[in-house]
Amino acid sequence: MSNQNRKGRLVIISGFSGVGKGTLVKQLTGQFDHYALSVSMTTRAPRDKEVHGVDYYYVTKEEFEKTIEKGGFYEYANYEGCYYGTPRAFIDESRAEGKDVILEIEVQGAMQFKKKFPETFLIFVATKSAAEMERRLTGRGTEDFDKITGRLKAAIGEAEQMPHYDCVVINDDLQTCVDQTNRIILGEETGPAYDPVFKEQFVEGLKEIVARRTAERI
Ligand code: 5GP
């Protein structure tokens, strides 16, 4: 479906930690050939099974800061103590090839990117509840107790950015979410709009969970 005469669409996928954004974007790029996935640079250590150049470019803080100085990023952010940034070159090349470029980035970076490229389409991915988010983060087993609490806490702030997104999709059944997201990106379906009641309930749920986990720690 790639088209040499068409400049590719820019799509950002953000969402709460543990919601399955990584799996969602891998399925989109694996199942449909019109996508190019931007690989970010990070100072976070690789998780088990993550591969340099595929999941991220893993670099030191010094290398990351050098790339900032050279103007090598379209955006970057500090998330939970680590740097994450979007390298420029890949995006420019992929768009020129007519690919729809997907960036899986957090909310601060998404807002910076949207300012540079106002045509960017923003998709927020959530779980159906805060309790489900905690279950997935715990089940993933890649972060320890305090890191998980930190990510749940960070989600309270992230939720405030939801109104800036073009739509909010719930990743309950993965394939349903993949198909829905693909149709939304292709413009075949209008995605579900931001719902303030859902957001409020989610944030309340997060606050209760964070309070419970903090009390458990004492
Ligand atoms: P994780 O450590 O779970 O892979 O990612 C943590 C957060 O950083 C996620 O919300 C992810 O979407 C975000 N992220 C990944 N790459 C980038 C990037 O290049 N820029 C920004 N701003 N956020 C990123």
Side-chain angles (χ1 to χ4, degrees):
M1 242 198 252
S2 91
N3 178 347
Q4 301 291 330
N5 302 317
R6 157 182 180 268
K7 197 157 188 196
R9 199 164 193 201
L10 289 169
V11 180
I12 287 184
I13 297 194
S14 302
F16 304 125
S17 186
V19 76
K21 303 180 297 283
T23 312
L24 171 63
V25 296
K26 278 200 186 106
Q27 290 299 319
L28 283 170
T29 51
Q31 292 182 27
F32 307 99
D33 66 5
H34 57 102
Y35 291 120
L37 177 61
S38 165
V39 177
S40 298
M41 198 179 273
T42 185
T43 58
R44 160 167 89 56
R47 295 183 187 127
D48 258 9
K49 299 198 188 125
E50 285 187 342
V51 178
H52 181 80
V54 176
D55 297 283
Y56 284 103
Y57 297 104
Y58 300 94
V59 297
T60 60
K61 189 163 172 274
E62 289 68 31
E63 284 173 277
F64 197 100
E65 286 173 348
K66 227 179 261 169
T67 311
I68 298 175
E69 278 167 31
K70 283 193 296 193
F73 292 121
Y74 269 130
E75 63 71 38
Y76 66 92
N78 197 299
Y79 176 84
E80 292 294 289
C82 297
Y83 277 128
Y84 294 85
T86 303
R88 282 172 178 266
F90 178 81
I91 292 198
D92 296 343
E93 286 158 18
S94 304
R95 288 191 88 196
E97 285 171 16
K99 297 268 188 189
D100 293 315
V101 182
I102 301 186
L103 293 84
E104 190 239 296
I105 65 178
E106 56 64 70
V107 295
Q108 308 162 57
M111 295 305 124
Q112 286 180 49
F113 197 86
K114 175 86 179 172
K115 260 194 207 143
K116 284 192 186 127
F117 298 101
E119 72 273 27
T120 307
F121 190 75
L122 302 177
I123 301 176
F124 196 99
V125 189
T127 45
K128 60 183 179 209
S129 66
E132 176 63 17
M133 179 183 162
E134 184 191 27
R135 251 193 307 278
R136 291 206 195 164
L137 275 174
T138 310
R140 184 162 85 175
T142 49
E143 281 85 21
D144 65 20
F145 188 90
D146 291 340
K147 279 244 159 68
I148 291 177
T149 308
R151 285 179 172 233
L152 289 159
K153 221 188 247 174
I156 297 171
E158 285 162 7
E160 296 309 322
Q161 300 299 327
M162 280 164 91
H164 300 301
Y165 281 72
D166 294 296
C167 65
V168 178
V169 299
I170 308 293
N171 184 12
D172 196 8
D173 173 68
L174 176 63
Q175 191 56 47
T176 307
C177 186
V178 169
D179 290 333
Q180 182 188 24
T181 306
N182 185 50
R183 286 195 302 272
I184 292 168
I185 294 171
L186 290 176
E188 295 171 2
E189 183 183 314
T190 323
Y194 159 71
D195 173 0
V197 176
F198 172 77
K199 188 209 87 178
E200 281 312 314
Q201 284 172 351
F202 206 102
V203 168
E204 281 315 305
L206 285 170
K207 285 181 179 165
E208 281 168 25
I209 291 168
V210 168
R212 189 199 74 227
R213 293 175 70 92
T214 308
E216 272 173 36
R217 206 77 182 99
I218 298 166

